[in-house]
Amino acid sequence: MKTTTIIFFLALTFFSTRLFAQIHPDADTIVPSKGNIEQQLKDIRKRQILLYSDSAVAGNLPKKSHHIDSTKKNRYNDLLDDDPEYNKKLPWWKPALQVVALNAILNIVDRTVFNLQFAKVDFSTWKRTTSAGFPWGSGWEWDQDRFGNNFLSHPMTGCFYFNTARSNGYNYWQSAPYVLAGSYMWKIFGENGKPEREDLINTTFDGIALGEIMYRLSSNILDDRSIGAERVFREIFAGLVDPVRGVNRLFQGKSFRRTNKEVYQTEPLNITFYAGIHSVNNQSLKLFSGQNVYMMNLQLDYGNPFEVRPRKPFDVFRFRTEFNFGEGRKIVDNVTGYGNLFAKNATVGKIEMLYGLFHYYDYFDTKIFELATTSFGGGLLTKIPLSKKTNLYTNIHLAVAPFGGASVGPVSDTAQYRDYRFAYGLQGKIETGVNVGKYATLSFWYYWYLMHAFDNTGNDEKRVGTLGTNVIQMIKPRITVHLFRDLSFGMEHDVYFNNHSQRSFATERFVHSEQRIFLMFYWEDPQRKGHYN
């Protein structure tokens, strides 16, 4: 009797285990024997949304599931890290060689296609630049380049250096040294003049931040399980977002590789895009008194900051950029972003929080003022439920800006010289918003910057020794009203204050306002509910 009972329970355990495995396969795995890969992918996505998405209450987390290995996947059943089996770390010299190749190609294009004098290098220029010493020595200088060149173009170059390593299997911290090395190499061997300090700083630190953002976004686009036209579209789009990774995928054969499961870390991504009219009121608070131009704005909110889990750099980030058309050369009005470096979650009553150390990149290039900062500091993100379908989201940041640039007063759209000063200082941000169900969103942003100049522009010789301090404040209230589906109508009223104080000179005060009227498209990740922008 005992022997029969034992055999019965062993058989029951065996068959129940096999049955359980058949009912609950891995939610992201393709089974080749089932055929029709495209249909399997559609079914997988539907199952992901059904089993591992936020509940109907805005902003809640998916329910915990014993089917998910929390050491490898998040609550949305997505990988916490790129799968090392399919993203092997290549020898260090391969990304290093790519950095050298990038600099060589850039120099050849600058010298032969654009005939730029600074790119005409040879052994005699290398002898001079290699003797310049370290960046803080007298052999280096602060240059007179335009604002956009120093604070936007160089970070974009830095992100290419970063992703030579990132797309070769290196993590965030391991990829960072390649940016510094690539930037330093360019300053010494890619140009024939004195190497510039600010280029090394901006290319390195801001390039790291933008590079990680581009890598994360391209991972959300890629899916090595996909085939056909969808696969082609994903590869092209991901290559446009992260060109270095796109090229590496071609050479590594990943563009044509097919896997039966997801192999990249992905996080929920909410996208806000709006377009409309932007009225710039020069030195005035009067509504719609200035020039009206067309504008487009894109905001990306990556990751769920309130999911309790270990955090790597940029598991949570916000990236925002705006373009103006019909306002002269200053098309890129602003680019701002921040992501966590170290962060933890906490809960106090019903208040959910994420706090930690963040990396900030801020770039404002308007007809009224210029401002850019590279900053590091503390951030606190909170969510407070007000009702079943209404949440109050607030982000508070206070950071040190070791380096940046700020204009004194109104700037010229056609100036070919430096009309701003290099500076350091502090910055603070408060971003708060509340979603009124699905009917409307109300938000209020306040930015504060205190920047002390340490280097004059080429036209400031008369003010040497009295560099001064800028206090810049930005107030941005906004309301959007839902129209239908993902479309809303919105209005935003911005006020800018720029006070420049300087010894032996009267304080200069500048105030102006801007208004935006737009149609907004809000694409909400099916698994990540809740307006939190």
Side-chain angles (χ1 to χ4, degrees):
M1 180 65 179
K2 289 183 179 180
T3 302
T4 304
T5 302
I6 292 173
I7 293 174
F8 172 76
F9 277 108
L10 287 174
L12 180 62
T13 301
F14 173 78
F15 286 111
S16 63
T17 303
R18 294 296 299 274
L19 181 62
F20 184 85
Q22 292 175 8
I23 295 176
H24 300 284
D26 288 343
D28 67 344
T29 303
I30 290 174
V31 182
S33 61
K34 291 185 178 180
N36 199 328
I37 302 299
E38 293 178 334
Q39 185 58 48
Q40 287 191 56
L41 278 174
K42 291 180 181 178
D43 293 340
I44 286 172
R45 288 167 188 143
K46 289 180 181 178
R47 187 162 60 247
Q48 289 273 94
I49 295 171
L50 178 65
L51 297 177
Y52 309 110
S53 62
D54 296 348
S55 70
V57 180
N60 276 4
L61 286 172
K63 295 179 180 179
K64 287 187 177 180
S65 172
H66 64 275
H67 304 305
I68 295 179
D69 182 353
S70 61
T71 64
K72 294 183 178 181
K73 294 189 175 184
N74 61 18
R75 292 273 284 273
Y76 301 94
N77 199 45
D78 295 320
L79 290 174
L80 292 172
D81 295 285
D82 292 348
D83 191 327
E85 180 182 352
Y86 296 90
N87 300 276
K88 297 184 183 300
K89 183 180 178 181
L90 301 183
W92 67 268
W93 58 266
K94 289 191 175 182
L97 188 61
Q98 288 185 355
V99 169
V100 175
L102 274 174
N103 280 336
I105 293 172
L106 181 60
N107 178 268
I108 292 171
V109 171
D110 285 346
R111 187 174 66 247
T112 59
V113 177
F114 298 107
N115 194 32
L116 298 175
Q117 293 300 314
F118 69 78
K120 296 181 179 180
V121 297
D122 53 31
F123 287 107
S124 62
T125 64
W126 291 343
K127 182 179 180 180
R128 183 174 64 253
T129 53
T130 52
S131 64
F134 294 104
W136 54 84
S138 59
W140 288 64
E141 67 178 4
W142 303 102
D143 72 19
Q144 302 298 315
D145 287 351
R146 287 174 58 90
F147 184 75
N149 185 58
N150 274 333
F151 290 98
L152 185 61
S153 298
H154 286 292
M156 292 300 297
T157 304
C159 75
F160 295 155
Y161 298 142
F162 181 86
N163 281 311
T164 59
R166 196 72 170 89
S167 60
N168 275 304
Y170 291 70
N171 64 26
Y172 174 90
W173 298 109
Q174 294 166 342
S175 301
Y178 286 87
V179 190
L180 176 61
S183 179
Y184 192 89
M185 175 190 172
W186 175 260
K187 291 289 100 182
I188 300 301
F189 299 105
E191 299 179 354
N192 56 33
K194 271 191 173 184
E196 302 96 351
R197 300 181 183 93
E198 78 288 337
D199 292 353
L200 187 68
I201 296 170
N202 290 332
T203 303
T204 301
F205 291 102
D206 296 335
I208 290 171
L210 294 181
E212 182 67 11
I213 288 174
M214 288 185 174
Y215 184 84
R216 293 297 191 107
L217 294 176
S218 63
S219 289
N220 267 41
I221 298 168
L222 293 169
D223 189 344
D224 287 6
R225 300 169 298 178
S226 60
I227 60 175
E230 179 184 344
R231 179 61 176 270
V232 173
F233 171 79
R234 287 179 180 273
E235 293 293 335
I236 293 175
F237 193 26
L240 292 174
V241 172
D242 189 345
V244 172
R245 187 181 192 181
V247 172
N248 277 341
R249 286 181 62 81
L250 282 172
F251 284 107
Q252 295 167 0
K254 293 181 180 179
S255 295
F256 313 100
R257 178 182 66 184
R258 286 177 56 184
T259 64
N260 67 340
K261 62 180 181 178
E262 181 60 87
V263 296
Y264 306 114
Q265 177 184 359
T266 59
E267 300 288 344
L269 176 67
N270 287 5
I271 302 173
T272 306
F273 172 80
Y274 63 79
I277 301 297
H278 177 196
S279 178
V280 182
N281 309 314
N282 298 349
Q283 298 297 302
S284 173
L285 293 177
K286 186 177 180 181
L287 300 181
F288 300 101
S289 60
Q291 179 185 6
N292 294 329
V293 298
Y294 298 105
M295 52 76 63
M296 293 192 308
N297 187 293
L298 175 68
Q299 179 175 311
L300 307 174
D301 289 281
Y302 176 92
N304 184 348
F306 308 112
E307 179 187 4
V308 180
R309 50 176 274 197
R311 299 286 180 181
K312 302 189 307 300
F314 283 75
D315 276 347
V316 172
F317 70 74
R318 167 170 287 178
F319 179 80
R320 193 171 192 248
T321 183
E322 183 170 305
F323 302 90
N324 289 331
F325 304 95
E327 197 180 10
R329 295 178 57 177
K330 294 181 178 293
I331 296 176
V332 182
D333 184 271
N334 64 81
V335 181
T336 62
Y338 55 81
N340 71 288
L341 293 177
F342 306 96
K344 287 189 175 183
N345 291 93
T347 303
V348 178
K350 294 184 177 181
I351 304 175
E352 298 178 55
M353 297 182 291
L354 175 76
Y355 63 93
L357 178 67
F358 284 74
H359 182 180
Y360 306 89
Y361 169 67
D362 292 81
Y363 172 87
F364 296 90
D365 188 14
T366 74
K367 292 186 68 175
I368 309 301
F369 69 95
E370 295 167 335
L371 172 68
T373 63
T374 298
S375 307
F376 302 89
L380 173 65
L381 283 61
T382 66
K383 185 189 75 174
I384 304 174
L386 302 180
S387 68
K388 185 177 181 180
K389 294 185 177 181
T390 300
N391 289 311
L392 172 66
Y393 298 93
T394 302
N395 304 336
I396 301 175
H397 304 273
L398 182 61
V400 175
F403 184 71
S407 59
V408 175
V411 297
S412 172
D413 183 49
T414 59
Q416 298 300 319
Y417 54 83
R418 175 155 66 95
D419 53 357
Y420 58 93
R421 296 171 177 176
F422 296 119
Y424 61 90
L426 302 171
Q427 72 178 53
K429 294 183 178 182
I430 298 176
E431 302 173 340
T432 183
V434 59
N435 61 299
V436 185
K438 293 185 177 181
Y439 303 106
T441 60
L442 305 173
S443 62
F444 178 86
W445 292 9
Y446 172 73
Y447 290 179
W448 172 85
Y449 302 85
L450 187 153
M451 303 299 294
H452 181 74
F454 63 81
D455 182 77
N456 279 304
T457 71
N459 298 306
D460 283 337
E461 289 83 359
K462 65 180 181 179
R463 296 191 178 190
V464 171
T466 57
L467 294 170
T469 299
N470 281 48
V471 177
I472 300 173
Q473 300 177 78
M474 307 179 191
I475 300 174
K476 297 173 172 283
R478 182 174 72 180
I479 181 173
T480 63
V481 179
H482 181 255
L483 298 178
F484 62 94
R485 293 189 178 179
D486 301 317
L487 189 65
S488 299
F489 171 78
M491 295 183 294
E492 182 174 313
H493 174 67
D494 300 344
V495 181
Y496 300 92
F497 303 90
N498 185 2
N499 293 345
H500 178 75
S501 58
Q502 194 165 324
R503 186 183 303 173
S504 303
F505 293 89
T507 299
E508 299 174 283
R509 305 179 188 277
F510 305 94
V511 181
H512 83 280
S513 66
E514 299 176 354
Q515 290 78 44
R516 295 171 174 83
I517 298 178
F518 53 86
L519 290 176
M520 185 180 80
F521 173 82
Y522 179 69
W523 187 83
E524 185 177 68
D525 192 304
Q527 291 184 260
R528 173 67 174 99
K529 304 294 194 304
H531 284 257
Y532 56 103
N533 61 329

